[in-house]
Amino acid sequence: MTKLGNTDEAITIFEAISNDNKRTKIAAEASFYLAELYFEIIKDYEKAIEKYNQVNKEFRQSEFVETALTRSSVASQILQYHGSGQKIDTKALVMQNFKLAEYYIDIFEQPDSAIVVYDKVINHQTKLLQTVDSLDFTISNLNLKIDSLTVQKEISDSLAIIDSTFIPQIDNQQIQDLKLQLRDTKQTLHSTTEIALKYSDEFVPYAKFVKLWIYHTIKNDSLKVDSIFTDLNENFGENKYTFGANLLLKNEKVLIITPKELTE
């Protein structure tokens, strides 16, 4: 029915079946198919979660309970992925993205969707580096302003000593406010730099490694494999994931360690 475009009609029918057969096997099945509609067709993941969770409530012995729980978890990951602007620990956010990508590969067999998620992680590194450059520029400007105001205040204070009628135009508060801003900006730069290093050392190489695995193992796209492998070697030569990619392409057992760790 939904394949013919009658999504609204299908929802009405499944809702009616569910409402008319509360706490039964058929109600659980109707709830599952409702959830599938919201998930696959409408892309309303909040509603999909609600209906997936309803499957267990309707009939715990339903054959759809386990699948509903799994797909509810996937829908939650997708919501977190699309709502990633919220305040959340960076590592936790990246792990959410990686988990979502794994769902796309293992459960839905949608490697292209997984690649989109991995690309989001990879591309975010560029934004982080741009933020670092911007913060560096802001710090330089703040230092210049503080130095300039400090000199102006010294001159102003000297004139006030010479001429009691002279009113200083610069007070300590202006300088202190800038120093506080400078301190906060330096703290932000420090934390952002640490995150950028984590992306460079761990998140991006891992995302590229899994993309290479997808193109090599699932999609059999040798051109993409060669491109990603060249990128890993040129930009992450000593990284453990580059070493792992090398083993993968040699059809050897993949070890995610650095060559140095292997010899220790």
Side-chain angles (χ1 to χ4, degrees), residues 152-153 155-157 159-161 163-171:
Q152 291 178 52
K153 186 176 185 306
I155 295 173
S156 179
D157 290 345
L159 290 173
I161 293 173
D163 183 355
S164 59
T165 63
F166 179 80
I167 300 175
Q169 300 299 310
I170 300 171
D171 58 33

Side-chain angles (χ1 to χ4, degrees), residues 90-109:
T90 300
K91 183 176 181 180
L93 176 59
V94 174
M95 291 302 106
Q96 286 176 2
N97 288 338
F98 286 159
K99 188 67 176 177
L100 174 60
E102 289 170 12
Y103 277 131
Y104 277 131
I105 295 170
D106 298 333
I107 297 175
F108 294 119
E109 298 181 352

Side-chain angles (χ1 to χ4, degrees), residues 27 37 74:
L37 281 174
V74 174

Side-chain angles (χ1 to χ4, degrees), residues 172-186:
N172 283 323
Q173 190 59 50
Q174 290 175 274
I175 297 174
Q176 290 304 313
D177 288 344
L178 285 174
K179 286 183 176 180
L180 286 173
Q181 186 179 346
L182 176 63
R183 182 201 64 187
D184 292 344
T185 306
K186 285 182 176 179

